[in-house]
Amino acid sequence: MRKCLAFGFWLLAFACPTASAQQLLSLDSCRAMALSNNKQLGVAKIKQDIANNLKRSARTKYLPHVSAIGTYQFTSEEISLLSNEQKDRLSNLGTNMAGSLQGMGSTLQTTLGQMGQMLGQMGVPMDAFQQMAGGMQQQMGQTLTNTVGLLNTEGQKIVDAFRTDTRNIFAGSVLVTQPVFLGGSLIALNKLADLNEEMAANRADASQQTIIYATDQAYWQVVSLKHKQRLAESYLELIKKLDGDVQKMIAEGVATRSEGLTVSVKVNEAEMTLQKVNDGLTLSKMLLCQMIGLPVNASVTLADEDAESLAAVTIQPQLDVEQAISNRPELKMLSNVVDMSKQATNILKAGNLPQVALMGGYAVSNPNVLNGFQKKFGGFWNVGVLVRIPIWNWGDVAYKVRASKGATAIANLELEEAREKIELQVNQSTFKVGEANKRLALAEASIQRAEENLRTANLGFSEGVISPTVVMEAQTAWLQAQSQKIDAEIDVKLTQVDLQKALGTLRSDK
């Protein structure tokens, strides 16, 4: 909710530029603007979308897949089921049988002649028989000619019927494949996709924490320089006032010219210090504006830069390594790498296991042989089971599995090393928070002594019992005490941010 309010405040500040030339930004609004402006965070979010789509793609491997295939092929020669000799014999079937039929006609003619002689001996008139025999022979000749032509025609029909005309082949099929068991590779693939999505989310979380950390560093740097700018201006006013008083004393003869030159040198040093602080503040604001997506020359005011005292956020430096181990996105990513390496090993192991899949579909072709050779489309349904059993691959899969296990061992070692480093980082950050709180308490005590010392020195100087040098020393001590207090306050803020980052709890809503 705080993030949304801060972002809405930022939009309101841009929507009303005429209301104020300055834009008032809080730490939360700077964080929100930096997160919305950072390009690398946008890349991380796109990678999350990619990982999510890859996960959805992996889920589809469990489901049946349907594919359609269509082909056309032209060949220079067609397939022939009959040889050229067989084609020639069938095409000239009647002609080849004509000799046999003529032999039958000669035999019949001889038989009729013998019958005519026998009938003549029996007294049967020969003219009538010869006329009948001549008619039969003429009819047989005509029948023989017709039979030869008919057999040739029928033989050619058989040759034509056996012609395939396969120079133009059209074929198509629709295939449905349903995996049943692939050696566990599908399960490992989906777990790998889940881990990839989780790793992308952890990477985005790490990028977000890095951006927030850098934004906080830039924010508190600006606040620190702004406070030091006010401090430098106050010190310059003090030293100028002292310089004016010393110049009056020189004119009255109660101070030496050497003391006046010493004070003047201090004025020049204070002016140079103020100039350096102003330059540093300008550059720091430019960096902050660039990080949050504003023009580098934009005029902005931070909510904490005009505060008289920076209130420290209450964070007790408690050592909690387990919280860091459970929260740090870097450890989560390394853990994801270990798990992904294990799943990759499982996928490789599946290469030595049987694979079973169901198959079914419908196939068509033109020409087809479903009812003899037909020059039209014909098709049929088919179902089946595909089983693949690896037998021998010269140890290829075993070598790959060993290599993958080696990668898993490396990932485990890197994870353990990262845990040790994070444990050290948490201890160091916890210690630094405690030290920063102590320095802040000492700095606040030093402020009181420095202010009292400066008050006493000014009082003595006004009474004429203390020299300008002593006043300058008191002013310098006051300046150092104030500067140390500012540094201690900023250090408290930054060490708290360091501890949050070390614990993995640095979020935009905190």
Side-chain angles (χ1 to χ4, degrees):
M1 178 61 70
R2 293 177 62 189
K3 177 180 177 181
C4 295
L5 290 175
F7 187 70
F9 178 82
W10 173 62
L11 292 178
L12 182 61
F14 270 85
C16 304
T18 58
S20 175
Q22 290 280 341
Q23 298 183 46
L24 181 62
L25 301 176
S26 65
L27 179 60
D28 287 337
S29 62
C30 287
R31 286 179 173 184
M33 293 168 66
L35 291 175
S36 62
N37 176 69
N38 190 269
K39 303 298 186 297
Q40 291 302 317
L41 188 59
V43 171
K45 291 180 179 179
I46 293 176
K47 288 183 178 180
Q48 282 186 277
D49 293 336
I50 293 174
N52 181 260
N53 289 323
L54 291 176
K55 174 185 175 181
R56 294 182 179 181
S57 173
R59 293 291 189 270
T60 63
K61 304 302 180 183
Y62 287 120
L63 305 176
H65 282 64
V66 182
S67 58
I69 303 173
T71 62
Y72 166 76
Q73 184 178 15
F74 174 79
T75 58
S76 60
E77 298 291 339
E78 67 180 38
I79 299 174
S80 179
L81 300 178
L82 300 175
S83 66
N84 292 333
E85 295 179 356
Q86 291 172 332
K87 291 179 182 179
D88 182 68
R89 290 177 183 176
L90 288 173
S91 299
N92 299 287
L93 181 62
T95 303
N96 294 334
M97 296 182 62
S100 300
L101 294 175
Q102 289 178 356
M104 292 175 60
S106 299
T107 302
L108 179 60
Q109 186 176 3
T110 302
T111 302
L112 289 175
Q114 292 175 356
M115 289 180 63
Q117 291 178 1
M118 292 175 60
L119 292 173
Q121 291 176 2
M122 294 173 63
V124 177
M126 294 296 296
D127 294 337
F129 181 77
Q130 289 178 353
Q131 184 178 3
M132 182 187 66
M136 290 180 63
Q137 289 178 355
Q138 183 179 2
Q139 188 175 2
M140 282 187 62
Q142 185 65 35
T143 302
L144 178 61
T145 302
N146 293 338
T147 302
V148 169
L150 179 62
L151 290 176
N152 287 340
T153 301
E154 294 300 324
Q156 185 61 44
K157 289 181 179 179
I158 294 174
V159 172
D160 294 339
F162 274 95
R163 183 181 177 184
T164 60
D165 191 16
T166 53
R167 290 175 298 174
N168 295 282
I169 301 176
F170 298 88
S173 65
V174 177
L175 181 65
V176 181
T177 305
Q178 171 62 59
V180 178
F181 177 74
L182 298 182
S185 61
L186 282 183
I187 297 176
L189 179 64
N190 278 272
K191 289 182 178 179
L192 192 63
D194 294 340
L195 291 170
N196 185 44
E197 184 182 33
E198 183 179 343
M199 186 174 182
N202 291 329
R203 187 183 294 111
D205 188 17
S207 299
Q208 181 177 350
Q209 291 195 23
T210 301
I211 294 166
I212 294 174
Y213 181 77
T215 303
D216 285 13
Q217 294 278 340
Y219 180 91
W220 293 116
Q221 177 70 14
V222 172
V223 172
S224 173
L225 290 173
K226 185 64 177 180
H227 281 252
K228 288 187 176 181
Q229 182 190 50
R230 278 207 312 272
L231 177 61
E233 291 173 349
S234 299
Y235 176 71
L236 182 59
E237 291 178 0
L238 287 176
I239 199 68
K240 282 184 176 181
K241 182 178 183 301
L242 178 62
D243 182 55
D245 293 339
V246 171
Q247 293 300 326
K248 293 177 182 179
M249 293 172 66
I250 293 174
E252 294 176 359
V254 294
T256 65
R257 187 172 183 83
S258 176
E259 291 175 334
L261 291 174
T262 302
V263 177
S264 298
V265 170
K266 285 293 183 179
V267 172
N268 292 335
E269 290 179 355
E271 290 176 345
M272 292 180 61
T273 301
L274 178 59
Q275 183 61 40
K276 289 180 180 179
V277 172
N278 290 335
D279 293 342
L281 179 60
T282 301
L283 293 175
S284 298
K285 281 193 173 183
M286 285 183 178
L287 175 61
L288 180 62
C289 289
Q290 186 273 331
M291 294 179 65
I292 63 178
L294 294 179
V296 292
N297 57 351
S299 180
V300 297
T301 300
L302 303 185
D304 295 298
E305 68 180 32
D306 293 326
E308 291 297 328
S309 179
L310 300 175
V313 178
T314 304
I315 292 184
Q316 297 299 328
Q318 297 178 352
L319 184 62
D320 195 348
V321 178
E322 294 300 325
Q323 182 185 14
I325 292 177
S326 61
N327 289 338
R328 286 291 290 269
E330 295 87 350
L331 284 181
K332 291 180 180 179
M333 285 191 290
L334 288 174
S335 179
N336 293 147
V337 171
V338 173
D339 295 335
M340 291 173 71
S341 180
K342 292 179 180 179
Q343 296 305 323
T345 302
N346 293 334
I347 292 176
L348 293 173
K349 286 181 178 179
N352 275 338
L353 298 176
Q355 298 179 355
V356 182
L358 298 178
M359 301 178 63
Y362 186 78
V364 296
S365 65
N366 183 5
N368 70 86
V369 291
L370 300 178
N371 187 21
F373 281 93
Q374 293 179 328
K375 207 43 184 168
K376 62 180 181 179
F377 284 98
F380 55 90
W381 294 98
N382 61 87
V383 293
V385 179
L386 174 65
V387 180
R388 175 182 175 273
I389 302 177
I391 297 177
W392 184 251
N393 54 22
W394 301 99
D396 175 57
V397 175
Y399 296 140
K400 291 179 179 178
V401 169
R402 290 177 188 174
S404 182
K405 287 183 177 180
T408 303
I410 293 174
N412 274 315
L413 291 175
E414 291 177 346
L415 177 60
E416 291 300 322
E417 183 182 14
R419 284 177 177 172
E420 293 174 358
K421 290 182 178 180
I422 286 177
E423 182 177 358
L424 176 61
Q425 186 181 25
V426 171
N427 279 274
Q428 291 176 339
S429 299
T430 304
F431 177 79
K432 288 180 180 179
V433 169
E435 288 299 306
N437 290 333
K438 293 177 182 178
R439 284 195 299 271
L440 179 58
L442 293 175
E444 290 175 346
S446 297
I447 285 290
Q448 296 177 358
R449 291 192 294 268
E451 289 179 346
E452 179 62 22
N453 184 32
L454 179 60
R455 186 188 68 80
T456 303
N458 288 329
L459 181 61
F461 178 73
S462 63
E463 296 293 333
V465 296
I466 291 180
S467 67
T469 304
V470 176
V471 177
M472 285 190 299
E473 291 176 355
Q475 290 177 343
T476 302
W478 175 82
L479 175 66
Q480 291 177 349
Q482 292 287 350
S483 180
Q484 289 174 357
K485 178 176 179 292
I486 294 173
D487 290 339
E489 289 176 333
I490 297 300
D491 197 28
V492 167
K493 296 287 188 180
L494 294 181
T495 54
Q496 289 170 351
V497 174
D498 288 338
L499 181 58
Q500 289 178 355
K501 188 174 187 299
L503 294 174
T505 60
L506 186 60
R507 299 290 187 273
S508 60
D509 55 347
K510 292 185 179 181

